[in-house]
Amino acid sequence: MDSFKPIGFVENDFKEIQHNPDVFRDTVSRIRILEEFVEGVYRIDDFSRLYVIFVFDRAEGYRLKIHPRGDESKPLRGVFATRSPYRPNPIGLAVVRLEAVQGNILIVRDLDAIDGSPVLDIKPCEDDVTY
Amino acid sequence: MDSFKPIGFVENDFKEIQHNPDVFRDTVSRIRILEEFVEGVYRIDDFSRLYVIFVFDRAEGYRLKIHPRGDESKPLRGVFATRSPYRPNPIGLAVVRLEAVQGNILIVRDLDAIDGSPVLDIKPCEDDVTY
């Protein structure tokens, strides 16, 4: 399998893994795109919603069946039926609202990644885009 | 950056890269989960829609600005504002409908990945899941 490299990094006020993704709702983050990839966001501001694929780089290990959000009152689920950061491949996916583009910085809302998370990819979210 | 490993592979009738993702609409694919990860899909059939994160393993190289779908009549865009398979990290993302689970096989609809594509992750799609 290929090794992937960051195209940028998340900047926000969340310094540790959050078990309740609701805390990210409406919060603003910055995605700082590395200079070598900045041409890749040309005209991205045509879109209001984006997918952001990132790495849960502080999540170590995984179990295949878990109690969602670490809450033992919730019945076990397979990890692929949850959004837990502790996954065989620690990849996160967020649907964000794009607020602004300032050079190599994307200002986004709703990104449930913590500060410093490496970003692997960004895609337009719209299902039926014509472009 | 970490190296990722497949958790399974796509099986369908598409043997080559497709430039028009519309051809995948309504098509049925199978995702064969590797035995070592099969517990990870426990109770995934509670969800009707899933995100599938996979690798464009036959896409070589990339350019940061492209004509969408290779159509030179369309104006240039940054690759992160397109769904092109030719990306700095060749990661694909599909929203699929889960039709059935048969042991380690997920039967899904709308997966725009070609036959043999390595699958890295699967997540429930619903935005406001309570589980």
Side-chain angles (χ1 to χ4, degrees):
Chain A
M1 180 61 49
D2 294 326
S3 198
F4 296 120
K5 54 191 177 300
I7 62 151
F9 290 90
V10 173
E11 297 177 353
N12 62 25
D13 293 333
F14 296 97
K15 306 304 177 191
E16 296 179 355
I17 288 180
Q18 303 290 316
H19 291 281
N20 180 354
D22 294 345
V23 300
F24 293 99
R25 192 167 297 167
D26 287 331
T27 62
V28 172
S29 295
R30 297 146 56 94
I31 299 174
R32 184 179 296 272
I33 304 292
L34 298 179
E35 288 297 339
E36 70 178 291
F37 298 113
V38 72
E39 284 198 343
V41 299
Y42 178 61
R43 293 181 61 210
I44 201 165
D45 54 348
D46 285 353
F47 299 97
S48 58
R49 294 197 309 155
L50 302 172
Y51 290 117
V52 177
I53 297 172
F54 60 94
V55 182
F56 292 119
D57 63 327
R58 259 111 344 144
E60 293 183 6
Y62 67 89
R63 282 175 299 161
L64 289 174
K65 286 185 180 174
I66 59 169
H67 297 284
R69 304 187 182 185
D71 178 348
E72 296 197 358
S73 72
K74 295 181 192 289
L76 284 170
R77 275 194 177 281
V79 68
F80 301 125
T82 80
R83 299 174 66 87
S84 167
Y86 302 97
R87 320 180 68 78
N89 295 304
I91 297 174
L93 169 66
V95 177
V96 304
R97 286 176 279 165
L98 180 61
E99 303 276 320
V101 180
Q102 298 169 351
N104 68 324
I105 308 278
L106 308 186
I107 313 288
V108 302
R109 205 174 276 275
D110 302 329
L111 178 56
D112 57 349
I114 63 176
D115 188 63
S117 297
V119 174
L120 296 179
D121 203 4
I122 299 172
K123 300 176 192 287
C125 184
E126 280 77 359
D127 284 335
D128 283 298
V129 178
T130 18
Y131 50 75
Chain B
M1 181 60 50
D2 294 327
S3 197
F4 296 122
K5 54 191 176 300
I7 62 151
F9 291 89
V10 172
E11 297 177 354
N12 62 26
D13 294 333
F14 296 97
K15 306 304 179 193
E16 297 180 354
I17 288 181
Q18 303 291 314
H19 291 281
N20 180 354
D22 295 344
V23 300
F24 293 99
R25 193 167 297 167
D26 287 331
T27 62
V28 172
S29 295
R30 296 147 56 94
I31 299 173
R32 184 179 297 272
I33 305 293
L34 298 179
E35 287 297 338
E36 70 178 291
F37 297 114
V38 71
E39 284 199 344
V41 299
Y42 178 60
R43 294 182 60 211
I44 202 166
D45 53 350
D46 285 352
F47 299 98
S48 57
R49 293 197 311 155
L50 302 172
Y51 290 117
V52 177
I53 297 173
F54 59 94
V55 182
F56 292 119
D57 62 326
R58 258 107 349 141
E60 292 184 8
Y62 66 90
R63 281 175 301 160
L64 289 174
K65 286 184 181 174
I66 58 170
H67 298 284
R69 303 186 183 188
D71 178 350
E72 296 197 0
S73 73
K74 295 181 192 289
L76 283 170
R77 277 194 177 281
V79 69
F80 302 125
T82 80
R83 300 175 66 87
S84 168
Y86 303 98
R87 320 180 68 78
N89 295 306
I91 297 174
L93 171 65
V95 177
V96 305
R97 286 176 278 165
L98 179 62
E99 302 276 320
V101 180
Q102 298 170 350
N104 68 323
I105 308 278
L106 308 186
I107 314 289
V108 302
R109 204 174 277 274
D110 302 330
L111 178 56
D112 58 349
I114 63 176
D115 188 61
S117 298
V119 174
L120 296 179
D121 203 5
I122 299 172
K123 299 176 193 288
C125 183
E126 279 77 357
D127 285 334
D128 283 297
V129 178
T130 18
Y131 50 76

